[in-house]
């Protein structure tokens, strides 16, 4: 090859490399923009999840408080029922005692 041909070939190769480099730069810029959008979306999703978790935590605490109140009310009802049963048993014993006294 002559020096002129080698120079032309080198110029074509350099032009091709510059074109490929420009394409790579465009692709890199596009990827940076996409990564930035993805990061923003990820951050928004994180905030949404945190908000939802906070809401669930509050709902769970409310449910637990209601369960505790219901448990306390049930316990009080059971005590009252036990007391009424005891009063009924006492009344039955008293009536039987009075019957026995009347029979004598």
């Amino acid at each position: 090859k002559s020096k002129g041909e080698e120079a032309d070939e080198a110029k074509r190769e350099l032009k091709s490399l510059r074109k490929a480099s420009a394409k790579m730069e465009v692709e890199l810029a596009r990827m940076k923009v996409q990564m930035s959008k993805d990061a923003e979306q990820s951050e928004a999703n994180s905030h949404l999840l945190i908000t939802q978790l906070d809401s669930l935590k509050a709902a769970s605490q409310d449910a637990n408080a209601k369960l505790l109140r219901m448990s306390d009310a049930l316990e009080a009802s059971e005590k009252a029922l036990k007391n009424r049963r005891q009063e009924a048993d006492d009344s039955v014993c008293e009536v039987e005692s009075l019957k026995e006294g009347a029979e004598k």
Side-chain angles (χ1 to χ4, degrees), residues 52-103:
Q52 289 173 338
L53 283 172
D54 287 344
S55 179
L56 283 172
K57 183 179 177 184
S60 175
Q61 288 171 341
D62 286 348
N64 283 337
K66 285 179 185 175
L67 282 173
L68 281 173
R69 287 193 301 274
M70 290 171 72
S71 177
D72 290 345
L74 181 59
E75 197 174 310
S77 293
E78 287 172 341
K79 282 182 182 176
L81 182 59
K82 188 177 179 184
N83 288 340
R84 286 189 191 125
R85 280 189 186 140
Q86 187 61 51
E87 288 171 6
D89 288 347
D90 292 347
S91 295
V92 167
C93 288
E94 195 176 318
V95 167
E96 287 176 0
S97 178
L98 288 172
K99 275 185 185 179
E100 288 175 12
E103 289 173 358

Short mmCIF file of all heavy atoms in Angstrom, two decimals, residues 52-103:
data_model
loop_
_atom_site.label_atom_id
_atom_site.label_comp_id
_atom_site.label_asym_id
_atom_site.label_seq_id
_atom_site.Cartn_x
_atom_site.Cartn_y
_atom_site.Cartn_z
N GLN A 52 -47.35 3.21 53.68
CA GLN A 52 -48.26 2.08 53.85
C GLN A 52 -47.92 1.29 55.12
O GLN A 52 -48.83 0.86 55.85
CB GLN A 52 -48.21 1.16 52.63
CG GLN A 52 -48.85 1.79 51.40
CD GLN A 52 -48.66 0.96 50.14
OE1 GLN A 52 -47.73 0.15 50.06
NE2 GLN A 52 -49.52 1.16 49.17
N LEU A 53 -46.64 1.10 55.39
CA LEU A 53 -46.23 0.39 56.60
C LEU A 53 -46.65 1.14 57.85
O LEU A 53 -47.12 0.55 58.83
CB LEU A 53 -44.71 0.15 56.61
CG LEU A 53 -44.22 -0.97 55.70
CD1 LEU A 53 -42.69 -0.96 55.65
CD2 LEU A 53 -44.71 -2.32 56.19
N ASP A 54 -46.50 2.46 57.83
CA ASP A 54 -46.92 3.28 58.97
C ASP A 54 -48.42 3.14 59.20
O ASP A 54 -48.89 3.03 60.33
CB ASP A 54 -46.54 4.76 58.77
CG ASP A 54 -45.05 5.01 58.91
OD1 ASP A 54 -44.35 4.13 59.46
OD2 ASP A 54 -44.58 6.08 58.48
N SER A 55 -49.17 3.14 58.10
CA SER A 55 -50.62 3.00 58.18
C SER A 55 -51.00 1.63 58.74
O SER A 55 -51.87 1.52 59.60
CB SER A 55 -51.22 3.20 56.78
OG SER A 55 -52.61 3.05 56.82
N LEU A 56 -50.33 0.59 58.25
CA LEU A 56 -50.58 -0.76 58.76
C LEU A 56 -50.23 -0.87 60.24
O LEU A 56 -50.95 -1.52 61.02
CB LEU A 56 -49.78 -1.79 57.97
CG LEU A 56 -50.33 -2.16 56.59
CD1 LEU A 56 -49.33 -3.03 55.85
CD2 LEU A 56 -51.65 -2.87 56.72
N LYS A 57 -49.13 -0.24 60.63
CA LYS A 57 -48.72 -0.27 62.04
C LYS A 57 -49.78 0.39 62.91
O LYS A 57 -50.15 -0.14 63.97
CB LYS A 57 -47.37 0.45 62.18
CG LYS A 57 -46.80 0.42 63.57
CD LYS A 57 -45.45 1.13 63.60
CE LYS A 57 -44.87 1.19 65.00
NZ LYS A 57 -43.63 1.97 65.05
N ALA A 58 -50.30 1.53 62.47
CA ALA A 58 -51.34 2.22 63.24
C ALA A 58 -52.60 1.37 63.32
O ALA A 58 -53.22 1.26 64.38
CB ALA A 58 -51.64 3.58 62.58
N ALA A 59 -52.98 0.75 62.20
CA ALA A 59 -54.17 -0.11 62.20
C ALA A 59 -53.98 -1.30 63.13
O ALA A 59 -54.89 -1.70 63.85
CB ALA A 59 -54.47 -0.58 60.78
N SER A 60 -52.78 -1.86 63.13
CA SER A 60 -52.47 -2.99 63.99
C SER A 60 -52.54 -2.58 65.46
O SER A 60 -53.09 -3.30 66.30
CB SER A 60 -51.08 -3.52 63.67
OG SER A 60 -50.70 -4.53 64.56
N GLN A 61 -52.02 -1.41 65.78
CA GLN A 61 -52.08 -0.92 67.16
C GLN A 61 -53.52 -0.68 67.60
O GLN A 61 -53.90 -1.01 68.72
CB GLN A 61 -51.24 0.37 67.29
CG GLN A 61 -49.75 0.10 67.24
CD GLN A 61 -48.91 1.36 67.16
OE1 GLN A 61 -49.40 2.43 66.80
NE2 GLN A 61 -47.64 1.24 67.48
N ASP A 62 -54.34 -0.13 66.68
CA ASP A 62 -55.75 0.07 66.99
C ASP A 62 -56.44 -1.27 67.25
O ASP A 62 -57.22 -1.40 68.20
CB ASP A 62 -56.47 0.79 65.83
CG ASP A 62 -56.12 2.26 65.75
OD1 ASP A 62 -55.51 2.79 66.69
OD2 ASP A 62 -56.47 2.88 64.72
N ALA A 63 -56.16 -2.24 66.39
CA ALA A 63 -56.77 -3.57 66.55
C ALA A 63 -56.35 -4.20 67.87
O ALA A 63 -57.18 -4.78 68.58
CB ALA A 63 -56.40 -4.46 65.37
N ASN A 64 -55.08 -4.06 68.22
CA ASN A 64 -54.60 -4.61 69.49
C ASN A 64 -55.28 -3.94 70.68
O ASN A 64 -55.66 -4.61 71.65
CB ASN A 64 -53.08 -4.47 69.61
CG ASN A 64 -52.33 -5.48 68.78
OD1 ASN A 64 -52.86 -6.54 68.46
ND2 ASN A 64 -51.10 -5.18 68.42
N ALA A 65 -55.45 -2.63 70.60
CA ALA A 65 -56.11 -1.91 71.68
C ALA A 65 -57.57 -2.38 71.82
O ALA A 65 -58.07 -2.58 72.93
CB ALA A 65 -56.06 -0.40 71.43
N LYS A 66 -58.26 -2.56 70.68
CA LYS A 66 -59.64 -3.04 70.72
C LYS A 66 -59.70 -4.45 71.32
O LYS A 66 -60.60 -4.75 72.12
CB LYS A 66 -60.24 -3.06 69.31
CG LYS A 66 -60.61 -1.69 68.80
CD LYS A 66 -61.17 -1.74 67.38
CE LYS A 66 -61.42 -0.34 66.86
NZ LYS A 66 -61.84 -0.35 65.45
N LEU A 67 -58.76 -5.31 70.92
CA LEU A 67 -58.73 -6.66 71.47
C LEU A 67 -58.53 -6.64 72.98
O LEU A 67 -59.16 -7.41 73.71
CB LEU A 67 -57.63 -7.49 70.80
CG LEU A 67 -57.95 -8.02 69.41
CD1 LEU A 67 -56.71 -8.66 68.80
CD2 LEU A 67 -59.07 -9.04 69.48
N LEU A 68 -57.65 -5.77 73.45
CA LEU A 68 -57.42 -5.66 74.90
C LEU A 68 -58.70 -5.21 75.61
O LEU A 68 -59.05 -5.76 76.66
CB LEU A 68 -56.28 -4.68 75.20
CG LEU A 68 -54.87 -5.22 75.00
CD1 LEU A 68 -53.84 -4.09 75.17
CD2 LEU A 68 -54.58 -6.33 75.99
N ARG A 69 -59.39 -4.21 75.03
CA ARG A 69 -60.64 -3.74 75.64
C ARG A 69 -61.69 -4.85 75.66
O ARG A 69 -62.39 -5.04 76.65
CB ARG A 69 -61.17 -2.50 74.90
CG ARG A 69 -60.37 -1.23 75.17
CD ARG A 69 -61.10 0.02 74.70
NE ARG A 69 -61.40 0.03 73.29
CZ ARG A 69 -60.57 0.46 72.33
NH1 ARG A 69 -59.37 0.89 72.65
NH2 ARG A 69 -60.95 0.45 71.07
N MET A 70 -61.79 -5.58 74.55
CA MET A 70 -62.74 -6.69 74.48
C MET A 70 -62.40 -7.78 75.48
O MET A 70 -63.28 -8.35 76.13
CB MET A 70 -62.79 -7.26 73.05
CG MET A 70 -63.43 -6.32 72.05
SD MET A 70 -63.25 -6.89 70.34
CE MET A 70 -64.38 -8.27 70.34
N SER A 71 -61.12 -8.05 75.62
CA SER A 71 -60.66 -9.06 76.58
C SER A 71 -61.01 -8.64 78.00
O SER A 71 -61.49 -9.44 78.81
CB SER A 71 -59.15 -9.26 76.43
OG SER A 71 -58.68 -10.17 77.38
N ASP A 72 -60.78 -7.36 78.31
CA ASP A 72 -61.12 -6.84 79.64
C ASP A 72 -62.62 -6.92 79.88
O ASP A 72 -63.06 -7.30 80.97
CB ASP A 72 -60.64 -5.38 79.79
CG ASP A 72 -59.13 -5.27 79.86
OD1 ASP A 72 -58.46 -6.32 80.08
OD2 ASP A 72 -58.60 -4.14 79.71
N ALA A 73 -63.42 -6.56 78.86
CA ALA A 73 -64.88 -6.60 79.00
C ALA A 73 -65.35 -8.05 79.20
O ALA A 73 -66.24 -8.32 80.02
CB ALA A 73 -65.54 -5.99 77.77
N LEU A 74 -64.75 -8.98 78.46
CA LEU A 74 -65.10 -10.39 78.61
C LEU A 74 -64.77 -10.89 80.01
O LEU A 74 -65.57 -11.59 80.64
CB LEU A 74 -64.37 -11.23 77.55
CG LEU A 74 -64.64 -12.72 77.54
CD1 LEU A 74 -66.12 -12.99 77.31
CD2 LEU A 74 -63.80 -13.41 76.47
N GLU A 75 -63.61 -10.51 80.48
CA GLU A 75 -63.20 -10.91 81.84
C GLU A 75 -64.17 -10.37 82.89
O GLU A 75 -64.58 -11.09 83.80
CB GLU A 75 -61.78 -10.39 82.10
CG GLU A 75 -61.08 -11.05 83.25
CD GLU A 75 -59.62 -10.58 83.36
OE1 GLU A 75 -58.90 -10.61 82.35
OE2 GLU A 75 -59.23 -10.21 84.48
N ALA A 76 -64.58 -9.11 82.71
CA ALA A 76 -65.53 -8.50 83.65
C ALA A 76 -66.88 -9.22 83.58
O ALA A 76 -67.51 -9.48 84.62
CB ALA A 76 -65.70 -7.01 83.34
N SER A 77 -67.31 -9.57 82.37
CA SER A 77 -68.57 -10.30 82.20
C SER A 77 -68.51 -11.66 82.86
O SER A 77 -69.47 -12.10 83.51
CB SER A 77 -68.90 -10.48 80.72
OG SER A 77 -69.17 -9.24 80.12
N GLU A 78 -67.37 -12.34 82.70
CA GLU A 78 -67.21 -13.66 83.33
C GLU A 78 -67.26 -13.55 84.85
O GLU A 78 -67.88 -14.38 85.52
CB GLU A 78 -65.88 -14.30 82.88
CG GLU A 78 -65.90 -14.80 81.45
CD GLU A 78 -64.54 -15.27 80.96
OE1 GLU A 78 -63.50 -14.90 81.56
OE2 GLU A 78 -64.51 -16.00 79.95
N LYS A 79 -66.64 -12.51 85.41
CA LYS A 79 -66.68 -12.31 86.86
C LYS A 79 -68.10 -12.05 87.33
O LYS A 79 -68.54 -12.59 88.35
CB LYS A 79 -65.76 -11.15 87.27
CG LYS A 79 -64.30 -11.50 87.29
CD LYS A 79 -63.46 -10.32 87.74
CE LYS A 79 -61.97 -10.67 87.71
NZ LYS A 79 -61.14 -9.52 88.04
N ALA A 80 -68.82 -11.19 86.57
CA ALA A 80 -70.20 -10.87 86.94
C ALA A 80 -71.06 -12.12 86.87
O ALA A 80 -71.90 -12.37 87.77
CB ALA A 80 -70.76 -9.79 86.02
N LEU A 81 -70.87 -12.92 85.84
CA LEU A 81 -71.63 -14.17 85.70
C LEU A 81 -71.33 -15.12 86.86
O LEU A 81 -72.24 -15.72 87.44
CB LEU A 81 -71.29 -14.84 84.36
CG LEU A 81 -72.04 -16.13 84.03
CD1 LEU A 81 -73.53 -15.90 84.02
CD2 LEU A 81 -71.57 -16.68 82.69
N LYS A 82 -70.08 -15.21 87.21
CA LYS A 82 -69.67 -16.08 88.33
C LYS A 82 -70.34 -15.60 89.63
O LYS A 82 -70.85 -16.41 90.42
CB LYS A 82 -68.14 -16.06 88.47
CG LYS A 82 -67.59 -17.05 89.46
CD LYS A 82 -66.07 -17.00 89.45
CE LYS A 82 -65.49 -17.96 90.46
NZ LYS A 82 -64.03 -17.87 90.55
N ASN A 83 -70.36 -14.29 89.84
CA ASN A 83 -71.00 -13.71 91.03
C ASN A 83 -72.50 -14.02 91.04
O ASN A 83 -73.06 -14.36 92.08
CB ASN A 83 -70.76 -12.21 91.11
CG ASN A 83 -69.33 -11.87 91.47
OD1 ASN A 83 -68.60 -12.71 92.01
ND2 ASN A 83 -68.92 -10.65 91.18
N ARG A 84 -73.15 -13.89 89.87
CA ARG A 84 -74.59 -14.16 89.79
C ARG A 84 -74.87 -15.63 90.06
O ARG A 84 -75.87 -15.96 90.72
CB ARG A 84 -75.13 -13.75 88.41
CG ARG A 84 -75.23 -12.25 88.28
CD ARG A 84 -75.96 -11.82 87.02
NE ARG A 84 -75.80 -10.39 86.82
CZ ARG A 84 -75.33 -9.83 85.72
NH1 ARG A 84 -74.99 -10.58 84.70
NH2 ARG A 84 -75.22 -8.54 85.64
N ARG A 85 -74.03 -16.50 89.54
CA ARG A 85 -74.20 -17.93 89.81
C ARG A 85 -74.09 -18.21 91.31
O ARG A 85 -74.85 -18.98 91.88
CB ARG A 85 -73.14 -18.75 89.05
CG ARG A 85 -73.48 -18.96 87.61
CD ARG A 85 -72.51 -19.96 86.98
NE ARG A 85 -72.74 -20.05 85.55
CZ ARG A 85 -71.78 -20.14 84.64
NH1 ARG A 85 -70.52 -20.13 85.01
NH2 ARG A 85 -72.08 -20.25 83.37
N GLN A 86 -73.09 -17.57 91.93
CA GLN A 86 -72.90 -17.76 93.37
C GLN A 86 -74.11 -17.25 94.14
O GLN A 86 -74.58 -17.90 95.07
CB GLN A 86 -71.61 -17.04 93.83
CG GLN A 86 -71.24 -17.33 95.27
CD GLN A 86 -70.96 -18.81 95.50
OE1 GLN A 86 -70.19 -19.44 94.80
NE2 GLN A 86 -71.63 -19.38 96.52
N GLU A 87 -74.64 -16.07 93.72
CA GLU A 87 -75.83 -15.53 94.38
C GLU A 87 -77.01 -16.48 94.21
O GLU A 87 -77.79 -16.70 95.14
CB GLU A 87 -76.17 -14.15 93.80
CG GLU A 87 -75.21 -13.06 94.20
CD GLU A 87 -75.44 -11.75 93.44
OE1 GLU A 87 -76.43 -11.65 92.68
OE2 GLU A 87 -74.62 -10.83 93.61
N ALA A 88 -77.16 -17.04 92.99
CA ALA A 88 -78.25 -17.99 92.74
C ALA A 88 -78.09 -19.24 93.61
O ALA A 88 -79.08 -19.72 94.20
CB ALA A 88 -78.29 -18.36 91.26
N ASP A 89 -76.86 -19.75 93.66
CA ASP A 89 -76.61 -20.92 94.51
C ASP A 89 -76.93 -20.62 95.97
O ASP A 89 -77.55 -21.43 96.67
CB ASP A 89 -75.14 -21.37 94.40
CG ASP A 89 -74.82 -22.02 93.05
OD1 ASP A 89 -75.78 -22.34 92.31
OD2 ASP A 89 -73.62 -22.20 92.75
N ASP A 90 -76.53 -19.43 96.42
CA ASP A 90 -76.80 -19.01 97.80
C ASP A 90 -78.31 -18.93 98.05
O ASP A 90 -78.80 -19.35 99.11
CB ASP A 90 -76.14 -17.67 98.12
CG ASP A 90 -74.60 -17.76 98.15
OD1 ASP A 90 -74.08 -18.90 98.17
OD2 ASP A 90 -73.95 -16.69 98.16
N SER A 91 -79.03 -18.41 97.05
CA SER A 91 -80.49 -18.28 97.19
C SER A 91 -81.14 -19.65 97.27
O SER A 91 -82.06 -19.87 98.08
CB SER A 91 -81.09 -17.51 96.01
OG SER A 91 -80.64 -16.18 96.01
N VAL A 92 -80.67 -20.58 96.44
CA VAL A 92 -81.21 -21.94 96.46
C VAL A 92 -80.98 -22.57 97.84
O VAL A 92 -81.89 -23.17 98.43
CB VAL A 92 -80.60 -22.80 95.33
CG1 VAL A 92 -80.91 -24.28 95.54
CG2 VAL A 92 -81.10 -22.34 93.98
N CYS A 93 -79.78 -22.40 98.36
CA CYS A 93 -79.46 -22.95 99.69
C CYS A 93 -80.37 -22.33 100.76
O CYS A 93 -80.85 -23.01 101.66
CB CYS A 93 -78.00 -22.70 100.04
SG CYS A 93 -76.85 -23.72 99.10
N GLU A 94 -80.59 -21.03 100.64
CA GLU A 94 -81.42 -20.32 101.62
C GLU A 94 -82.86 -20.82 101.57
O GLU A 94 -83.50 -21.07 102.60
CB GLU A 94 -81.37 -18.81 101.32
CG GLU A 94 -81.87 -17.94 102.42
CD GLU A 94 -81.71 -16.45 102.10
OE1 GLU A 94 -80.65 -16.06 101.56
OE2 GLU A 94 -82.66 -15.71 102.39
N VAL A 95 -83.38 -21.01 100.32
CA VAL A 95 -84.75 -21.51 100.15
C VAL A 95 -84.86 -22.92 100.72
O VAL A 95 -85.82 -23.24 101.44
CB VAL A 95 -85.16 -21.47 98.65
CG1 VAL A 95 -86.43 -22.29 98.43
CG2 VAL A 95 -85.34 -20.05 98.19
N GLU A 96 -83.90 -23.77 100.43
CA GLU A 96 -83.92 -25.13 100.96
C GLU A 96 -83.87 -25.14 102.49
O GLU A 96 -84.54 -25.93 103.15
CB GLU A 96 -82.78 -25.96 100.36
CG GLU A 96 -83.01 -26.33 98.90
CD GLU A 96 -81.83 -27.07 98.28
OE1 GLU A 96 -80.81 -27.30 98.96
OE2 GLU A 96 -81.93 -27.39 97.08
N SER A 97 -83.06 -24.25 103.02
CA SER A 97 -82.95 -24.14 104.48
C SER A 97 -84.28 -23.70 105.08
O SER A 97 -84.72 -24.23 106.11
CB SER A 97 -81.83 -23.16 104.80
OG SER A 97 -81.72 -23.00 106.19
N LEU A 98 -84.94 -22.75 104.41
CA LEU A 98 -86.24 -22.29 104.90
C LEU A 98 -87.28 -23.39 104.81
O LEU A 98 -88.12 -23.54 105.71
CB LEU A 98 -86.70 -21.06 104.10
CG LEU A 98 -85.95 -19.75 104.36
CD1 LEU A 98 -86.38 -18.68 103.37
CD2 LEU A 98 -86.17 -19.27 105.79
N LYS A 99 -87.25 -24.18 103.73
CA LYS A 99 -88.17 -25.31 103.57
C LYS A 99 -87.99 -26.30 104.72
O LYS A 99 -88.97 -26.78 105.31
CB LYS A 99 -87.93 -26.05 102.24
CG LYS A 99 -88.62 -25.47 101.06
CD LYS A 99 -88.36 -26.40 99.87
CE LYS A 99 -88.92 -25.86 98.59
NZ LYS A 99 -88.62 -26.77 97.47
N GLU A 100 -86.71 -26.63 104.96
CA GLU A 100 -86.42 -27.58 106.06
C GLU A 100 -86.92 -27.04 107.38
O GLU A 100 -87.47 -27.77 108.20
CB GLU A 100 -84.92 -27.89 106.12
CG GLU A 100 -84.40 -28.75 105.00
CD GLU A 100 -82.88 -28.92 105.04
OE1 GLU A 100 -82.25 -28.56 106.06
OE2 GLU A 100 -82.32 -29.41 104.03
N GLY A 101 -86.74 -25.77 107.59
CA GLY A 101 -87.20 -25.14 108.84
C GLY A 101 -88.71 -25.17 108.95
O GLY A 101 -89.27 -25.36 110.02
N ALA A 102 -89.40 -24.96 107.82
CA ALA A 102 -90.87 -24.96 107.81
C ALA A 102 -91.41 -26.37 108.02
O ALA A 102 -92.46 -26.55 108.62
CB ALA A 102 -91.38 -24.38 106.50
N GLU A 103 -90.69 -27.38 107.50
CA GLU A 103 -91.13 -28.76 107.62
C GLU A 103 -91.01 -29.25 109.07
O GLU A 103 -91.73 -30.15 109.47
CB GLU A 103 -90.36 -29.67 106.68
CG GLU A 103 -90.72 -29.47 105.21
CD GLU A 103 -89.84 -30.25 104.26
OE1 GLU A 103 -88.90 -30.94 104.71
OE2 GLU A 103 -90.06 -30.16 103.04
#
